[in-house]
Amino acid sequence: MISSAKWLNTPGLISLGGGLPCPDYFPFEELDIKVPQVPRFSPFRNGHAHEGSDYCLLRAGKHDMAEGTSMFDITTAMQYGQAHGAAQFLRFLVEHTELIHDPPYQDWSCTMTVGNTSALDVTLRMLSNRGDWMLSEEYTFVAAAEAAGALGVKTAAVPMDEHGMRADGLNDVLTNWDEKERGGPKPFLVYTVPTGQNPTGATQTAQRRRDIYAVAQKHELIIIEDDPYYYLQMDPYTGPEDSPGAAAASPPASHDDFIKSLVPSYLSIDTDGRVIRMDSFSKVVAPGTRAGWITAPEQMVDRYRAHAELSTQAPSGTSQLVLFKLLEDHWGHAGYLDWLMHLRVEYTARRNVMMAACDQYLPKNIVSWAVPVAGIFCWLRLDHTRHPRYGETSLEKIEEEVFDAIIRQKTWLMNGSWFRPDRAEKLGGIFFRATYAAAPFDQIQEGIQRLGKAVRETFKPN
Ligand code: PMP
């Protein structure tokens, strides 16, 4: 882009050149935001309102910066800004990234995004060409494969196990890559959701991450680390007696303990600068903020910014201001960690309720699952060989039959087949994705009970 910014600091300069509207015409004088108090957040109470005393009021004024009362205000937030986001807020994100991931190389940098979906789209636009291939888990976040497809980038599946993407599988796909058969060059991008993967809920162990990183080094891959569920890592599930769970989980004793309990990110082991890490506020603050950030080597971040300048730019000023007020002015780093520890307790309780319901209501000779240790999803595997018409009908048909039975039970789960990057591929198994993210505890239990009925109905011998 053409930049005339170098003249803007000329003393006495009268600016008739820029295209910025006059803030006098921004019809906002004050923004009041009622937010939870730090540090004791009240537990989720199954739909009941929290006490008034649990909250406090934050106020953003139009001229707080000129008046010296805050580092960010309506005048600045609502004005055109730079694509990396307001410097005041970006600084908080850089500090947070250093605190949690401490990337082991010098020239890492962050830039704000409008969330991970967009961050992936922008990243693919800047790194790939039509006809390229990207690698992903064999079941993946649908929007990722679709974003790639829209750009003419195909997605090749890497086998998974209960710990997510397999390092040997990744190595095999790359070692045996046949350009002619695939109709495209060997991939240089691997897209992975390492924590609480969508849809399988799988979390890669620290060792798995190191093994995958070594494969990425061997095959010169760039790792796209899409990690919106990173902070939704939970306490272990010890059995149905953990349910309803709210009392069973307790927050880590200190911020240090909490940080140490988190599985290391790819960014934190990235000695080469081959990781583009994507963080989002969607799952830890609110999806409607449409805000997140990437962390990567400066050169890549610069390129990302150049793309963002011409498309999304930074997140909305309102969103940045609200997040700044909450995170920097009110909670600070310590308060934000308290909030994240609070979420850990909440999600542990939710997960425990669903696991206890699965233990109680699902026929274990047909349905199996691994207990998720992070995220919001439980991946239920149905043993299709026990279906009365197994061998006579396709897995697709059996999956559809189970789905219809679940719907008749007035419950909704997602079919596993919907999450394959290449839906033309033959289905290898029957899975359903269930989430404990939002339903009240009693509905989680009732939903799983209904699922149990639907499975028994579909799999009953004729
Ligand atoms: N990545 C994954 C793996 C997800 O599951 C989701 C949410 N469903 C997103 C990205 C979307 O994130 P954002 O709201 O930041 O675009």
Side-chain angles (χ1 to χ4, degrees):
M1 279 181 101
I2 301 162
S3 171
S4 53
K6 63 182 172 189
W7 289 291
L8 289 181
N9 291 332
T10 310
L13 182 89
I14 294 176
S15 170
L16 302 178
L20 308 185
C22 175
D24 291 350
Y25 305 132
F26 298 168
F28 305 107
E29 287 301 307
E30 226 164 57
L31 185 66
D32 284 351
I33 320 151
K34 197 171 165 186
V35 299
Q37 283 280 18
V38 68
R40 268 191 305 281
F41 301 107
S42 38
F44 172 80
R45 292 177 200 141
N46 248 343
H48 296 294
H50 291 174
E51 311 276 323
S53 58
D54 294 341
Y55 294 98
C56 75
L57 202 63
L58 307 179
R59 177 159 293 172
K62 195 159 189 177
H63 306 291
D64 290 352
M65 288 169 73
E67 288 161 10
T69 52
S70 177
M71 278 161 28
F72 204 25
D73 61 11
I74 290 178
T75 299
T76 314
M78 299 292 184
Q79 189 52 278
Y80 278 114
Q82 287 174 305
H84 55 60
Q88 301 89 316
F89 188 35
L90 187 60
R91 201 193 60 184
F92 181 90
L93 302 178
V94 171
E95 288 166 358
H96 176 78
T97 302
E98 185 152 34
L99 190 68
I100 304 296
H101 306 286
D102 194 14
Y105 63 95
Q106 289 293 315
D107 67 331
W108 61 274
S109 175
C110 299
T111 191
M112 291 195 73
T113 68
V114 299
N116 287 16
T117 311
S118 163
L120 177 65
D121 175 64
V122 174
T123 300
L124 289 170
R125 281 173 197 276
M126 81 187 199
L127 291 180
S128 55
N129 292 309
R130 292 194 88 76
D132 282 346
W133 283 79
M134 165 178 99
L135 300 164
S136 80
E137 281 98 359
E138 64 178 312
Y139 293 94
T140 190
F141 176 44
V142 176
E146 288 186 352
L151 297 170
V153 175
K154 291 193 202 124
T155 305
V158 177
M160 307 175 74
D161 62 16
E162 63 180 297
H163 302 302
M165 181 179 280
R166 291 177 57 140
D168 56 354
L170 179 64
N171 186 47
D172 288 349
V173 172
L174 288 160
T175 306
N176 302 319
W177 190 263
D178 183 336
E179 282 202 25
K180 277 216 182 76
E181 194 192 311
R182 297 273 192 172
K186 187 172 152 179
F188 60 92
L189 285 177
V190 57
Y191 166 80
T192 183
V193 181
T195 321
Q197 199 250 1
N198 185 359
T200 65
T203 297
Q204 296 168 15
T205 59
Q207 187 56 47
R208 177 65 57 87
R209 291 168 197 234
R210 283 193 289 273
D211 293 345
I212 288 181
Y213 192 81
V215 175
Q217 287 179 310
K218 176 176 162 194
H219 293 279
E220 297 189 8
L221 296 178
I222 292 174
I223 299 174
I224 301 176
E225 178 176 39
D226 178 10
D227 213 2
Y229 306 104
Y230 187 67
Y231 291 112
L232 306 187
Q233 297 182 42
M234 296 169 283
D235 290 354
Y237 174 67
T238 54
E241 60 283 1
D242 265 3
S243 182
S250 51
S254 68
H255 293 155
D256 260 7
D257 280 3
F258 173 57
I259 294 171
K260 279 195 202 110
S261 79
L262 300 170
V263 62
S265 64
Y266 279 104
L267 178 64
S268 73
I269 58 169
D270 184 20
T271 44
D272 304 346
R274 62 174 67 252
V275 172
I276 303 179
R277 178 178 166 83
M278 296 171 178
D279 278 283
S280 170
F281 283 113
S282 286
K283 304 301 190 302
V284 286
V285 176
T289 56
R290 301 319 303 141
W293 72 101
I294 60 160
T295 310
E298 179 103 58
Q299 217 185 352
M300 278 211 250
V301 170
D302 273 351
R303 253 178 99 174
Y304 184 100
R305 232 177 345 244
H307 278 256
E309 257 164 25
L310 303 174
S311 55
T312 56
Q313 304 198 341
S316 131
T318 319
S319 186
Q320 290 191 59
L321 185 56
V322 167
L323 286 167
F324 176 87
K325 282 279 152 194
L326 179 68
L327 299 177
E328 166 78 36
D329 268 4
H330 180 48
W331 284 348
H333 287 290
Y336 186 38
L337 290 177
D338 286 334
W339 174 251
L340 296 171
M341 287 174 7
H342 167 69
L343 290 183
R344 179 186 181 97
V345 175
E346 291 289 316
Y347 278 91
T348 300
R350 291 183 155 277
R351 188 270 324 266
N352 290 355
V353 169
M354 183 172 277
M355 291 305 100
C358 289
D359 275 332
Q360 187 176 351
Y361 297 119
L362 298 183
K364 296 208 184 65
N365 57 340
I366 303 170
V367 189
S368 56
W369 61 93
V371 176
V373 297
I376 59 175
F377 301 119
C378 177
W379 190 234
L380 299 158
R381 180 176 199 282
L382 272 57
D383 180 356
H384 51 267
T385 65
R386 302 190 73 93
H387 189 271
R389 285 197 320 288
Y390 169 63
E392 297 160 30
T393 187
S394 66
L395 295 196
E396 284 78 358
K397 284 263 158 52
I398 298 176
E399 188 195 64
E400 210 177 295
E401 201 187 311
V402 182
F403 180 76
D404 290 345
I406 297 171
I407 292 290
R408 276 199 303 279
Q409 287 289 339
K410 294 213 180 111
T411 303
W412 191 47
L413 278 84
M414 294 273 218
N415 294 13
S417 64
W418 297 342
F419 298 95
R420 288 171 305 159
D422 180 359
R423 297 208 199 154
E425 287 255 317
K426 230 169 147 248
L427 201 55
I430 298 184
F431 297 90
F432 284 89
R433 189 191 80 176
T435 177
Y436 41 83
F441 291 176
D442 57 343
Q443 287 189 20
I444 294 178
Q445 286 159 334
E446 175 68 26
I448 295 295
Q449 187 169 13
R450 292 180 189 182
L451 169 67
K453 285 185 196 151
V455 171
R456 284 190 178 91
E457 182 192 308
T458 323
F459 279 68
K460 76 169 181 292
N462 290 323

